[in-house]
Amino acid sequence: MTPITKTTEPGMVGDTLPENQQTTLSAPPTTFRDTLRMLVILFKIRIVILLLMAATGGAFMAAEGWPGGASLVVIWLLGGMAAAGSSSFNQYLERNKDDKMRRTMKKRPLVNGEIPNPKWVPWVSALLIIVPVAITFTFNKPLSFFLALGAFIYVVIYTIWLKPRTLLNIVIGGAAGSAAVLSGSAAAGYWNSPGALVLALILFLWTPFHFWSLAIMYRDDYAKADVPMLPVNTTAKQAAWWTMSHTLPTCIFGLFLTIFPYLGLVYLIPMLLISGDLFWKNVKLIKDPSKDNARGLFMSSNYYLTVLMVVIYVSSMLPAPF
C-alpha cells in the first residue's frame, strides 16, 4: 500500500485527523490479504475470540460437560457477529481519540486511511448486532437478551457514557464479558447455572486489571487523548494496587470453581500455577510499576483467561474424580 501524507486544516472534525496534525496515511487495501488484515483489526477479532472463549466456557459450565455442537455453532456464529459489531461500533465512536494515540493511530483503519469514508461502518455494526439478537429471540430469548445486553454495555454504557467521564469506566464495562459468559450458558439451556454465574463474576473482575495494566503501559497515550483511564489519574504505584484489588479476587474465585464436582485436578493444578504467576506479576508491578512489569501482567492476564477456559473445557468432559 502506498503511503499518503495528509495535513488537516484548523477546525476540521468528524472523519478527519486532529487539526494542524500531519499524518502519514495508508491507502485503502488492494489485495485480499490486506483487506482481511484490515477487517481483523476493525472488528477486533482478537477480543472477539476471547469473548467467544468466555461464552464457550459458560456453555460448558451450564452443561457440566459437552454442551452440544449446535450450541457451540450458535455461540461462535451469532455471538461472534454481535461481538464483532460491538467492537467496530466502539472503533467508529472512538476514531477521533484513536488518532491521538500512538498505539492505535498507525494500525486502526478508521484512523490510518485504509477506510477513507467510514460512513458505512455504523450501519454494518448495527446489523451485526441486530441480526443475531433478532434470530435468537425466535428460539432462545435468554440468549437474545444477553447478546443485546453485552452489546449495550460495551457500546452505550462503556464507550459512550463511562469511558469519557470516569476513571473507573472499565469496572462497569467489564460486565460485557460477564454477559458473554451468560450468553454461552443460555445457549446451553441453563443461563443461571451456578458455575456459569461464578465464571461471569470472574470475567467481571478480570477485565479491569487486564485493561489497567495496558493503560499503565500506554499512560501517556491515554492522557494525550484525554481518556480518564485510572492509571492516568493516579500514580503508577496506586494503579498497581488497584490492579491487585481485582487480580487477587480473580485468582480466588478462579480456584473457587473447584467446588463444582465436574471440575477436578485437571482443572485445579493448572489454575494453581497460572494464578500464582498472575499474582506474582502483580506483586512485581507494585514493587516496580514500570512499563515492562505492566506488560508482564498484561500478558499473564491473557494467559490466565486462556488457561481458565481450556481447563474448563477439558476437565468438565472428563469423568468426575469422586
Side-chain angles (χ1 to χ4, degrees), residues 275-292:
S275 297
D277 177 74
L278 185 66
F279 180 78
W280 175 241
K281 292 292 174 56
N282 205 147
V283 170
K284 288 179 64 178
L285 184 63
I286 291 172
K287 290 182 177 180
D288 176 20
S290 64
K291 290 184 179 180
D292 284 343

Side-chain angles (χ1 to χ4, degrees), residues 75-89:
I75 290 169
W76 280 79
L77 179 59
L78 299 180
M81 288 174 62
S86 302
S87 297
S88 56
F89 232 138

